[in-house]
Amino acid sequence: MTQPATVTSPELSPGPPQKPTTWSDRARDRRRAVAARLRGGDLGLLPVLAGLVVIWVVMQILNPIFMSSANLTNLALESVPVGIIALGVVCVLLVGQIDLSVGSISGLSAAVLAVLFVDRGLPAWLAVTASLVLASLIGWFYAQVHNRIGVPSFVITLGGLLGFLGVQLWILGPKGSINLPYDSGLVAFAQLQFLPPWLAYTLVVVGAAVLYGTGAARAAERRRAGLAAASRRLLVGRSLALLAGLGAAVWYLNRDRGVGWMFVFFLALVLVLHYVLSRTSFGKSMYAVGGNMEAARRAGVNVKAVLTMAFVLCTTLACVGGILSASRLAAANQSSGGGDVNLNAIAAAVIGGTSLFGGRGSAFAALLGVLVIQSISSGLTLLNLDSAYRFMVTGGVLLLAVSLDAVARRSRVSHGRA
Amino acid sequence: MTAATPSPCLPNASLPDCLPVLFGRSVMTVESLPSPRASSGSPLLSLRGISKSFGAVAALTDVDLDVSAGQVVALVGDNGAGKSTLVKVLSGVHQPDAGTVGFDTGAVSVTSPAVAQRLGIATVFQDLALCENLNVVENLFLGRELRGLRLDEVAMEVRSRALLGELSAKIPSVRVPVAALSGGQRQTVAIARTLLGDPKVIILDEPTAALGVAQTAEVLNLIERLRERGLGVIMVSHNMADVRAVADTVAVLRLGRNNGLFDAAEATASDLVAAITGATDNVVSRRAGRDRTMGDGADPAVGDRAVGDPAPGNGPAAAHKGEAS
Ligand SMILES: Nc1ncnc2c1ncn2[C@@H]1O[C@H](COP(=O)(O)OP(=O)(O)OP(=O)(O)O)[C@@H](O)[C@H]1O
Ligand SMILES: [Mg+2]
């Protein structure tokens, strides 16, 4: 990254098909593109990774229990519900919209699940399905109001925030709280089920192997087509790093209860969404709609369908988060999805590097963002600081993240790239 | 471009053809539809009576335009004449308030850009319409990615490089976001976009406005090649040199109305300028004067000829064009 990026390189010079010079030249072009992107204000996941390290170091210094296996095991599980909601928030932010009602929807979903499962005695899968269908219909409804009437999503979902909180209170009725039985699969999944160590290690190895395999296949294909490709050294290094990092994490967590199934489920969702966003035409159209809606429309993208999918994904993931949150608590009550759930989910997405201005972000933003938020929360709780401090610190971090987003955006403008 | 290539619309257009326009009527009247042109290959794209207003602003009033396969129509007019609006009506961005669009054989309604794309109408917009957060390859293939469920990145990148190479694009890397490109680089990307897919008509709204000398020459060459491949091309431009270099016919818009249809090889710069600026009485006298003094292509029977009559088509005009290109 030491080379300054020049505006024109001879890579696409005029004339008949020319073989673009040598390998190292192309690798250099690639490095230049990366360097130019960074300086241009396209920071990706770097700030949040740095922030996470800082927070962990500070918290560990303040309280040595913070980095203990027991606390980290807990932290991982605690992160999942809000993290999954944040995953949905990433979807709407990517298309340049917002959903302020994810908290209410997660609470409503928990309430619907509890009423159907406990009060009505329906099987769990049916109650979960009903809850998911209801949430996806809410997203569809938001999209219709937005697409047909043109109400800004900010206002629609602000209405949803209040309205669906009302529905939640209404269906919970006067007693206001429904306990989920401890012996139900849902509660077990969210609280008690951990991967056996051999399976956890196997998954780590498989993950590293898949990372190498897909990377090598891609590189080979690119090389065959005469394009710049990642070197074998880079691929091996990357997957060894993943192997070592995840292996160490699993080993450390296994000193306590281990890796929760719920956390694995969250990781799987992150990976699926990452694939959809980066490797499918639907994902590209989401970025396009968030980047320049009119350009996307003129390119033939069905903008309304993309927006609808984004809203539906968001509310559906909010529902999944709400159900897992209730399962973890073994109860759905009037405060399910209330308090700071809503803003934590949105903050997680933004802290992770998803732009509030649309068109920038990734699935990993939700994962890293929620780890930041839960780390702050867990660390302050360990210090016996109550929610007053938690709110203040989280608010400060959010402000920092949004400022970073705005500064990055201004830097893009000043580099003539926004 | 050779003299043998038919120029079905208005070969040898001359004074009498233009008279109706010059006196405030549109040339392409409905009567001219079943003219001999039909036999010589009916227009690929034909607009009739297109009107479009934005609130109180009448951007287009009763505009007609024809483009045949293998024909380059230049659309000229002053700022605000309605050129871009017409382009946007054709590409499905705006819906016309009145009028019909005929494409290939039947009447179509271009209700959205996606419909235009399916029909085979590709457009480079004046306001370029690229997504700045996406890179060059992603922009080129936006809306028509290869293998939607598992993107074929390699094929797309190879195709993009080849395409941009053809256009002599000076682009550092196809993997940089479009936001990092200069205006001219973006314009090249936008032009390259239209060549993907399999368009029948390509509309370029001021394609060379931001381009350097070499790139302008490439785009003009490209337009020639498109014509040879039998595509219809509509090019909006303020640059009369470019217009005269590649266009077969020149359609003038003024204040949202047709204001003349010229054969590019015949019309003088002052004719066009007069039609663009609206000095209609001058153009009549000037043209008349020119025809008298030059006395070449002005054949005596011209007054009786129907608009677009192909009969004397490959006469002096076409020959002249052959030299020009
Ligand atoms: N979206 C819009 N809303 C309102 N008025 C518009 C809109 N688009 C164009 N107009 C008006 O329509 C008229 C024609 O505009 P248009 O963009 O078609 O001009 P043009 O011929 O392309 O000009 P230029 O040479 O400057 O590109 C102008 O008076 C303009 O103000
Ligand atoms: Mg214009």
Side-chain angles (χ1 to χ4, degrees), chain B residues 83-85 126 205-206 236 238:
Chain B
K83 306 179 297 292
S84 296
T85 307
Q126 187 177 17
D205 195 349
E206 306 202 17
V236 177
H238 288 294

Side-chain angles (χ1 to χ4, degrees), chain B residues 102-118:
Chain B
F103 190 71
D104 252 352
T105 45
V108 294
S109 61
V110 191
T111 47
S112 80
V115 171
Q117 226 173 59
R118 273 199 294 280

Side-chain angles (χ1 to χ4, degrees), chain A residues 38-390:
Chain A
L38 286 181
R39 271 183 301 111
D42 206 351
L43 301 175
L45 295 173
L46 280 183
V48 64
L49 275 172
L52 197 57
V53 170
V54 170
I55 289 168
W56 281 8
V57 169
V58 171
M59 291 301 178
Q60 176 67 10
I61 291 170
L62 292 178
N63 189 336
I65 298 177
F66 179 77
M67 288 296 272
S68 67
S69 295
N71 192 48
L72 291 187
T73 303
N74 221 9
L75 197 154
L77 285 183
E78 275 301 319
S79 307
V80 173
V82 174
I84 291 178
I85 300 174
L87 220 44
V89 174
V90 167
C91 294
V92 280
L93 287 182
L94 268 188
V95 297
Q97 306 294 324
I98 187 132
D99 187 345
L100 297 173
S101 68
V102 283
S104 296
I105 290 171
S106 74
L108 173 62
S109 303
V112 167
L113 171 85
V115 167
L116 293 179
F117 179 47
V118 180
D119 287 4
R120 298 289 153 85
L122 292 180
W125 66 267
L126 195 56
V128 170
T129 308
S131 194
L132 286 172
V133 169
L134 176 70
S136 58
L137 283 178
I138 292 173
W140 182 82
F141 170 75
Y142 284 168
Q144 296 311 304
V145 176
H146 182 271
N147 288 344
R148 287 167 199 269
I149 309 179
V151 185
S153 55
F154 182 90
V155 179
I156 305 172
T157 58
L158 198 59
L161 166 73
L162 269 180
F164 294 118
L165 176 59
V167 179
Q168 176 187 352
L169 300 184
W170 175 63
I171 64 172
L172 282 172
K175 67 181 166 166
S177 176
I178 299 172
N179 290 331
L180 301 179
Y182 267 95
D183 53 4
S184 70
L186 282 169
V187 175
F189 177 72
Q191 292 191 0
L192 308 171
Q193 290 176 350
F194 292 84
L195 268 68
W198 66 266
L199 184 55
Y201 288 118
T202 310
L203 283 184
V204 169
V205 173
V206 168
V210 167
L211 181 68
Y212 177 77
T214 53
R218 259 165 77 88
E221 198 186 347
R222 288 182 65 85
R223 220 164 269 142
R224 266 200 307 279
L227 301 173
S231 68
R232 175 163 299 242
R233 252 209 339 254
L234 179 81
L235 291 174
V236 172
R238 201 175 62 174
S239 86
L240 282 182
L242 184 79
L243 189 69
L246 287 186
V250 167
W251 170 80
Y252 197 66
L253 292 179
N254 274 334
R255 293 182 7 163
D256 192 65
R257 283 172 294 166
V259 185
W261 270 109
M262 190 165 74
F263 191 72
V264 174
F265 174 66
F266 176 39
L267 285 185
L269 284 182
V270 170
L271 291 179
V272 168
L273 187 65
H274 174 71
Y275 179 87
V276 169
L277 291 180
S278 59
R279 294 265 178 278
T280 69
S281 57
F282 170 69
K284 296 293 175 199
S285 54
M286 280 179 82
Y287 282 97
V289 168
N292 186 341
M293 193 182 286
E294 181 60 21
R297 190 170 84 90
R298 291 189 194 172
V301 171
N302 187 342
V303 171
K304 289 182 176 177
V306 170
L307 288 174
T308 305
M309 270 307 286
F311 278 113
V312 169
L313 270 175
C314 178
T315 53
T316 309
L317 286 167
C319 169
V320 174
I323 290 174
L324 291 180
S325 177
S327 307
R328 197 160 159 65
L329 212 75
N333 56 37
Q334 290 181 336
S335 64
S336 292
D340 51 3
V341 171
N342 207 20
L343 290 180
N344 272 352
I346 297 172
V350 175
I351 289 172
T354 307
S355 174
L356 285 169
F357 305 105
R360 278 165 216 277
S362 76
F364 292 110
L367 174 64
L368 295 173
V370 79
L371 287 180
V372 166
I373 288 200
Q374 284 302 326
S375 299
I376 294 172
S377 159
S378 154
L380 296 179
T381 310
L382 288 178
L383 292 173
N384 279 327
L385 294 173
D386 62 9
S387 47
Y389 295 92
R390 210 176 68 225

Side-chain angles (χ1 to χ4, degrees), chain B residues 272-298:
Chain B
L272 295 178
V273 169
I276 290 168
T277 56
T280 50
D281 42 350
N282 285 344
V283 81
V284 175
S285 49
R286 242 180 255 152
R287 268 192 77 88
R290 189 179 65 93
D291 285 348
R292 255 199 315 280
T293 51
M294 286 166 58
D296 61 351

